[in-house]
Amino acid sequence: MNLPPLRPVVVVTEGDGPGRTLAARLRAAGSAVRMLPVVSHGPAPDPAPLASALARLPDYAWAAFTSVRAVNAVCQDAAWTGWPWGTAARPRIAAVGPVTRAVLISNGVPVALCPGVPGARPLAHAMIAAEGGSMSGRTVFWPRSIIA
């Protein structure tokens, strides 16, 4: 008796955005995909912390973006979109990788730093190097999820 070849079954735990893209690619490669969203994404339940942080934009040496979701959330705020990115020296913008960098640029935000190797650790090391080896006395705006 000949049985049909088994297809790998892959569980994708993110139901939107990158999860859907991953699922489509896996299906195209011949895998059976089961969607099991375990994380939901949405606006912050309280916008006050972001508003407070953005009110202090001149105080930050850097704004470090470690996800496209963070870029999208911040770039919807009037304090961010009203910042004179073309002439402001600070904060300098750091992106964790090329996709995050591209989304920042598409929102009109100049990216000063994007390490050649994606990841939070390479990003932190690159920012420290850009500041002459020390972040002493410098503050960083780092927008992230409440569960990050």
Side-chain angles (χ1 to χ4, degrees):
M1 168 165 145
N2 289 335
L3 295 174
L6 292 176
R7 292 185 338 167
V9 177
V10 179
V11 176
V12 176
T13 59
E14 185 172 5
D16 62 351
R20 278 186 285 179
T21 302
L22 175 61
R25 289 181 179 165
L26 289 166
R27 285 185 186 106
S31 295
V33 176
R34 302 291 181 259
M35 300 300 287
L36 180 65
V38 295
V39 175
S40 64
H41 302 281
D46 179 7
L50 177 60
S52 175
L54 290 175
R56 296 188 316 271
L57 269 178
D59 300 334
Y60 296 111
W62 288 91
F65 287 91
T66 55
S67 77
V68 169
R69 289 193 199 302
V71 173
N72 291 336
V74 170
C75 286
Q76 292 176 13
D77 193 283
W80 182 266
T81 57
W83 188 251
W85 292 111
T87 58
R90 297 284 182 157
R92 294 168 64 190
I93 307 300
V96 72
V99 174
T100 303
R101 179 182 181 274
V103 175
L104 282 159
I105 290 170
S106 74
N107 278 283
V109 180
V111 176
L113 183 67
C114 184
V117 177
R121 186 177 307 268
L123 180 63
H125 287 297
M127 288 168 57
I128 293 166
E131 291 293 339
S134 173
M135 292 292 285
S136 179
R138 292 172 180 86
T139 56
V140 177
F141 171 62
W142 177 32
R144 62 197 179 281
S145 160
I146 59 173
I147 62 171

